[in-house]
Amino acid sequence: MASATYETRLFINNEYVSAKSSETLSLTNPFDGSKIDAAVEVAGEEDVDLAVSAAQAAFKSGPWSTYTGSQRAKCMLKFADLIDANAAKLAELDSIAMGAPTAIGAGFLIPAAAAAFRYYAGWADKIEGESFGADDGTYKIVRHEPLGVCAGIAPWNAPILYVGWKIAPAVAAGNTYIFKSSEKSPLSALVLGNLVIEAGFPPGVIQFISGGGKTGGLLASHMKISKISFTGSTFTGKIVQKLALESNMKSCTLELGGKSPALVFADANIPNAVGSTADGFLLNSGQVCVAGSRLFVEESIAPAFIEAVKERFTTISSTLGADPRTGTTMHGPVADEAQFNRVMSYIDLGKEFSAPVVGGNRKGDKGFFIEPTLFVNPDRKGKVFNEEIFGPVLSIVTFKTEEEAIELANDTVTGLSASVYTSDITRALRVSAKIDSGNVSINAPHFPNQQVPFGGFKESGNGKELGKYGLQSYMRTKTVLIK
């Protein structure tokens, strides 16, 4: 049954239904540690099969299978408007579940999801093919076709954002979609079922289910799902890829972890660089895959720069503890107790080598707030410097030359994003070309834009989301030869 306050059921075939599984998720509000009165129902094998069957029917024989690109776009544009209209409600649900400030959710992340639907709606009637003349006696046609039933597994740090990134390109291409939000933040996605109906999507086109790793595994290994898109840790991404390969060799897009570098050269606009690398890093309490958690600063400006970052961290720390649901709160807690313990364990490891120059402690006596923490020249071989922490822990290391900075930036197994701060455009282009990362921003923290592809190198995953590349990842290419 649905909670009196929160929608907790599964959304399958344009209906809210109780899960066949008896398992439920237990949620805690990270602001104060209180239990959330929402027993979110977990999709088991039978539930996943039902969702896949509905998606398959919609793709093969339902009204959706006959929709033109402009008809698909009409539903998508309406859905985007509805997301915007419900942004405050959606942001509050995310804040309750994982602590994100509603000001960030409603003002930035959720509108970005709506923007993705509008962007891909523009592509829906522009999917072109190719043809080649019959100079050799054969007329040749190249077709780009939808894959069929697709599925997405989202992380907990920005649930609605990934609805836009994953579902929008898929349905623009004519696919159907099953979306599983994280077990840490499932509340907002479940509300979207009503918006799917109101937007005019036929049954089975977009479905929302909840659950943890087991449910995700059912999607990744399902023989009738043609593609899986996963965002999360490198460790889990490897499991998803293995399940996809060993089942039906389904297509896989993996946007995985990062230990992203930020390079600050002496000729940079220092106030901008400080704000971007300090305040920008602490967006969503550092729980952002593209966060520049390794900060490299040119030696000649390092003392003053470090002091400026310390000042920003101290100022932000003084604001911690406020309810993230108030419109003026910009920094909240980490997602839950497990994440709090994980981040604090990294801080404790860092302290074994050297004390942080600021932060390093729990903030307050309730909830899961952690002081913004800064390590200067930490152990280069240690976990704090080399592993993704996914929390408000920043490391600063100095460099002397451009070549050294590039070497430091690339000395990681991941390659998701990077940022370069300099007033020299020639240097910016030269350094960005040499950084082994899928995404580089100049004089700003990196945040993806729907017009261009987003995806990492090395252990940060494979495939691309956003831009025309994101659309292409939800299509297959067929050659037709006419003699």
Side-chain angles (χ1 to χ4, degrees):
M1 296 294 291
S3 163
T5 306
Y6 307 104
E7 181 56 70
T8 60
R9 298 169 294 178
L10 312 179
F11 182 74
I12 296 177
N13 209 26
N14 273 20
E15 294 182 328
Y16 283 102
V17 298
S18 294
K20 305 294 183 182
S21 160
S22 60
E23 187 180 352
T24 59
L25 299 173
S26 179
L27 304 175
T28 300
N29 187 332
F31 166 60
D32 57 10
S34 62
K35 182 176 174 59
I36 300 172
D37 184 21
V40 177
E41 299 180 23
V42 171
E45 184 173 4
E46 188 175 355
D47 301 300
V48 170
D49 285 343
L50 287 171
V52 172
S53 294
Q56 199 169 37
F59 178 74
K60 289 186 173 182
S61 59
W64 186 250
S65 66
T66 68
Y67 271 30
T68 64
S70 61
Q71 286 176 303
R72 296 196 299 271
K74 183 178 179 181
C75 294
M76 295 174 69
L77 291 170
K78 178 64 173 175
F79 191 60
D81 290 344
L82 291 168
I83 289 175
D84 275 340
N86 288 271
K89 178 181 180 180
L90 296 169
E92 182 167 358
L93 290 171
D94 285 339
S95 182
I96 290 168
M98 53 73 60
T102 56
I104 302 297
F108 176 45
L109 296 174
I110 292 169
F117 272 92
R118 293 191 182 98
Y119 172 79
Y120 283 111
W123 275 105
D125 63 353
K126 300 175 185 65
I127 298 171
E128 57 190 4
E130 297 172 278
S131 64
F132 298 85
D135 55 337
D136 59 353
T138 300
Y139 187 71
K140 312 158 199 76
I141 299 173
V142 178
R143 296 170 52 90
H144 300 293
E145 302 176 341
L147 298 171
V149 180
C150 303
I153 302 173
W156 44 261
N157 60 330
I160 302 301
L161 179 67
Y162 292 100
V163 169
W165 288 12
K166 297 181 186 299
I167 299 179
V171 296
N175 298 286
T176 55
Y177 215 90
I178 303 167
F179 184 91
K180 187 196 83 68
S181 54
S182 167
E183 65 273 24
K184 294 179 185 283
S185 55
L187 298 177
S188 60
L190 292 176
V191 171
L192 296 179
N194 287 321
L195 308 190
V196 166
I197 296 171
E198 189 175 347
F201 287 103
V205 176
I206 298 176
Q207 302 176 90
F208 297 99
I209 63 174
S210 304
K214 181 179 178 181
T215 305
L218 291 169
L219 294 172
S221 62
H222 203 286
M223 295 297 293
K224 294 182 180 179
I225 291 177
S226 299
K227 175 185 170 72
I228 188 82
S229 175
F230 171 80
T231 300
S233 70
T234 297
F235 175 82
T236 305
K238 291 179 178 180
I239 296 173
V240 169
Q241 187 171 48
K242 185 172 186 287
L243 290 171
L245 176 65
E246 293 180 348
S247 52
N248 59 347
M249 297 184 69
K250 61 176 62 64
S251 173
C252 241
T253 294
L254 303 173
E255 192 261 280
L256 308 179
K259 192 69 176 177
S260 299
L263 283 63
V264 181
F265 291 92
D267 64 351
N269 178 321
I270 301 303
N272 172 66
V274 170
S276 296
T277 58
D279 299 59
F281 167 72
L282 292 174
L283 177 73
N284 213 14
S285 301
Q287 298 168 125
V288 179
C289 57
V290 294
S293 55
R294 294 184 303 137
L295 176 53
F296 301 108
V297 181
E298 191 164 353
E299 198 171 83
S300 63
I301 62 167
F305 196 91
I306 291 168
E307 285 302 313
V309 172
K310 284 173 57 179
E311 182 178 339
R312 289 303 305 145
F313 272 33
T314 301
T315 299
I316 291 169
S317 182
S318 70
T319 70
L320 285 181
D323 190 336
R325 290 175 293 177
T326 64
T328 57
T329 300
M330 299 303 293
H331 299 90
V334 295
D336 60 7
E337 185 175 14
Q339 187 64 12
F340 174 86
N341 290 336
R342 170 185 166 84
V343 175
M344 291 305 299
S345 71
Y346 275 100
I347 291 173
D348 289 341
L349 285 173
K351 288 178 178 178
E352 292 178 3
F353 184 82
S354 63
V357 297
V358 67
N361 301 296
R362 180 176 192 154
K363 178 74 174 184
D365 57 3
K366 69 173 183 178
F368 306 117
F369 293 89
I370 298 175
E371 294 174 342
T373 301
L374 176 62
F375 288 97
V376 175
N377 291 318
D379 182 2
R380 299 278 187 89
K381 296 181 180 180
K383 291 186 176 183
V384 169
F385 184 70
N386 290 290
E387 295 184 6
E388 183 179 44
I389 299 173
F390 223 61
V393 182
L394 177 65
S395 295
I396 292 183
V397 169
T398 61
F399 66 87
K400 293 181 180 178
T401 67
E402 180 180 306
E403 292 73 22
E404 183 188 6
I406 294 168
E407 184 177 354
L408 287 167
N410 291 337
D411 187 20
T412 173
V413 298
T414 63
L416 186 57
S417 73
S419 55
V420 178
Y421 296 87
T422 176
S423 60
D424 183 342
I425 187 61
T426 302
R427 168 182 273 164
L429 293 172
R430 182 174 62 243
V431 172
S432 65
K434 293 181 179 180
I435 290 180
D436 195 10
S437 173
N439 310 275
V440 183
S441 282
I442 309 301
N443 294 328
H446 190 81
F447 189 80
N449 182 291
Q450 68 262 16
Q451 292 180 303
V452 290
F454 175 68
F457 296 164
K458 299 185 284 190
E459 291 193 16
S460 287
N462 57 55
K464 299 294 182 181
E465 293 182 306
L466 303 179
K468 67 178 180 181
Y469 299 88
L471 180 73
Q472 290 167 353
S473 75
Y474 283 99
M475 294 186 291
R476 60 186 184 180
T477 302
K478 176 184 290 184
T479 296
V480 179
L481 303 179
I482 304 173
K483 188 69 176 176

